[in-house]
Amino acid sequence: MKIVATKVTPLQCGAASATVANTPQVVLITGAKSQLAQALLRVAADIGELAPNNIANTSANTNISVNIGAPIKLYALSRSQLDITDAANIAAVFTQYRPSWVINCAAYNAVDAAEHDAIEANRVNALGPELLAQQCWLSGARLLHVSSDYVFGGHAVCEIAHAAERAVGDARESGVKQHQNPDSASNPNPNPNQVHVPRPFVELDAPEPLSAYGKSKLLGEQKILAILGERAMIVRTSWLYGQDGHNFVQTMLNLMRTQPSLQVIVDQIGCPTWSDALAKVIWQLLMQQCSGVFHYSAQGQCSWYEFACEIQRQALALNLLSLPVVIQPITSAHYAKQALNRGMSLAKRPSYSVLNRAKVQSALAVNTALPMPDNVVWQDWRQQLNCMLRRYHDDN
């Protein structure tokens, strides 16, 4: 089984038929050590049914060269090999590898730190993508850039915050340790006029970032689209986690093993997304030569508190944890106040940042260039979490 490239116009990417090019295309991945880059390599290896000799220097994890049969050659470069903020370095790398596609996984993701280091956040998240886009324009390559739900500001802040306050109060009174829905916790028959949850964001919704991080990601999107137009693809995702790197799931598992209780924010609503599922979507979009802006996340939505409770429930079932801990819901305001008392200031985050994935699902429904027998890409966030934790269990 091999990855097969498709040659279609951008508006027909969902209906493309597979064709094999005579000359192998080169796909270059930036930020090789990131969790998404690792997921892209893992998924590519699974799809290509690679023999060990097809992957070079994987032990160093810095210069991975993968032949996925023909017609794709895949290279993942770390920051030391490709600094996306260095125009000369980018030009030299493009001359050496001559990529047909670049997947930009390099990013500044420290949301709170960006408030005090906006210059660096903009350098990596805006200038870097701009320089990549300029080199892609000069060389004829195409660019797939990964962005964030934090380009949106969220809606109905007060309504959701009020529901969260009620959940916190009820949880404290009842001594609840596990998941409760913030709405049903205080009122089993909530009045829809009292608690309003906005619809998921579509690609045409106007961004309104609240943080320096979100602003830098939006600026990177704008630079790329202005330079490359239909030769660019932006994929926004949300609450990404996986087996690799630092993420919410890994952090929760570590804290649940070492702390007797946790406080987790209850009034920020989004959708957790497994990095391997996103990687499959990215390969599909790339193989079908799509362009434009796409949203992708798992199905459904939850708060960070609900996410933490589900992590613990599944981890206990899989024997990744030996004992449960108390998980207490806390509002963003109270969490920020506690951080201030410790001398830390937190970035503003959207109260609601769920993404509507209908566009990408429609684009990939007509023709599937890559096999996805487990259908994990379109599953609920709880199912994706279960897939990730089972693989984590097997690996450990």
Side-chain angles (χ1 to χ4, degrees), residues 159-174 176 179-191 194-195 266 305 329:
E159 291 87 343
I160 294 175
H162 291 163
E165 290 284 359
R166 291 197 302 273
V168 172
D170 291 347
R172 287 173 178 166
E173 290 179 8
S174 63
V176 66
H179 163 66
Q180 276 191 345
N181 183 287
D183 298 340
S184 61
S186 60
N187 184 358
N189 298 299
N191 185 336
Q194 293 178 337
V195 179
V266 74
Y305 168 70

Side-chain angles (χ1 to χ4, degrees), residues 30-291:
T30 70
K33 295 183 179 180
S34 69
Q35 65 173 334
L36 180 56
Q38 290 297 302
L40 286 165
L41 293 169
R42 183 165 50 246
V43 170
D46 289 343
I47 294 168
E49 297 180 351
L50 298 177
N53 60 2
N54 290 125
I55 303 178
N57 198 25
T58 54
S59 59
N61 197 29
T62 55
N63 184 17
I64 302 171
S65 173
V66 181
N67 269 322
I68 311 175
I72 298 295
K73 288 187 176 181
L74 173 60
Y75 300 92
L77 303 183
S78 65
R79 181 179 178 182
S80 63
Q81 297 165 307
L82 174 54
D83 181 350
I84 66 170
T85 67
D86 185 334
N89 185 199
I90 295 172
V93 167
F94 271 59
T95 298
Q96 178 180 356
Y97 291 97
R98 301 186 181 281
S100 307
W101 272 95
V102 177
I103 304 176
N104 183 33
C105 296
Y108 183 107
N109 290 323
V111 178
D112 294 321
E115 295 299 305
H116 309 286
D117 199 5
I119 292 176
E120 180 65 12
N122 279 303
R123 195 173 74 89
V124 178
N125 292 341
L127 174 63
E130 179 182 15
L131 295 177
L132 282 174
Q134 289 174 348
Q135 194 61 46
C136 285
W137 176 259
L138 292 173
S139 67
R142 303 183 70 172
L143 176 61
L144 188 155
H145 175 69
V146 182
S147 192
S148 168
D149 58 328
Y150 280 15
V151 301
F152 295 110
H155 298 296
V157 176
C158 294
E159 291 87 343
I160 294 175
H162 291 163
E165 290 284 359
R166 291 197 302 273
V168 172
D170 291 347
R172 287 173 178 166
E173 290 179 8
S174 63
V176 66
K177 297 181 180 181
Q178 294 299 313
H179 163 66
Q180 276 191 345
N181 183 287
D183 298 340
S184 61
S186 60
N187 184 358
N189 298 299
N191 185 336
N193 295 323
Q194 293 178 337
V195 179
H196 170 66
V197 177
R199 62 165 174 78
F201 288 97
V202 298
E203 289 80 357
L204 293 177
D205 283 328
E208 191 180 0
L210 302 176
S211 63
Y213 165 77
K215 292 173 183 176
S216 70
K217 294 297 288 184
L218 176 59
L219 185 56
E221 291 184 13
Q222 293 169 338
K223 295 287 188 182
I224 289 171
L225 292 173
I227 294 169
L228 288 176
E230 291 187 349
R231 279 166 48 196
M233 190 174 359
I234 308 293
V235 180
R236 294 174 181 149
T237 192
S238 64
W239 295 20
L240 197 64
Y241 67 89
Q243 300 94 299
D244 311 290
H246 301 287
N247 55 71
F248 187 79
V249 174
Q250 300 280 8
T251 298
M252 286 296 104
L253 289 175
N254 290 334
L255 290 175
M256 288 169 185
R257 292 177 181 127
T258 59
Q259 303 297 320
S261 65
L262 303 175
Q263 290 184 324
V264 184
I265 290 174
V266 74
D267 59 347
Q268 293 173 20
I269 309 298
C271 186
T273 304
W274 184 27
S275 57
D276 284 43
L278 174 60
K280 291 186 178 184
V281 168
I282 286 175
W283 282 123
Q284 285 278 7
L285 290 168
L286 186 145
M287 292 300 101
Q288 299 193 43
Q289 305 288 305
C290 293
S291 67

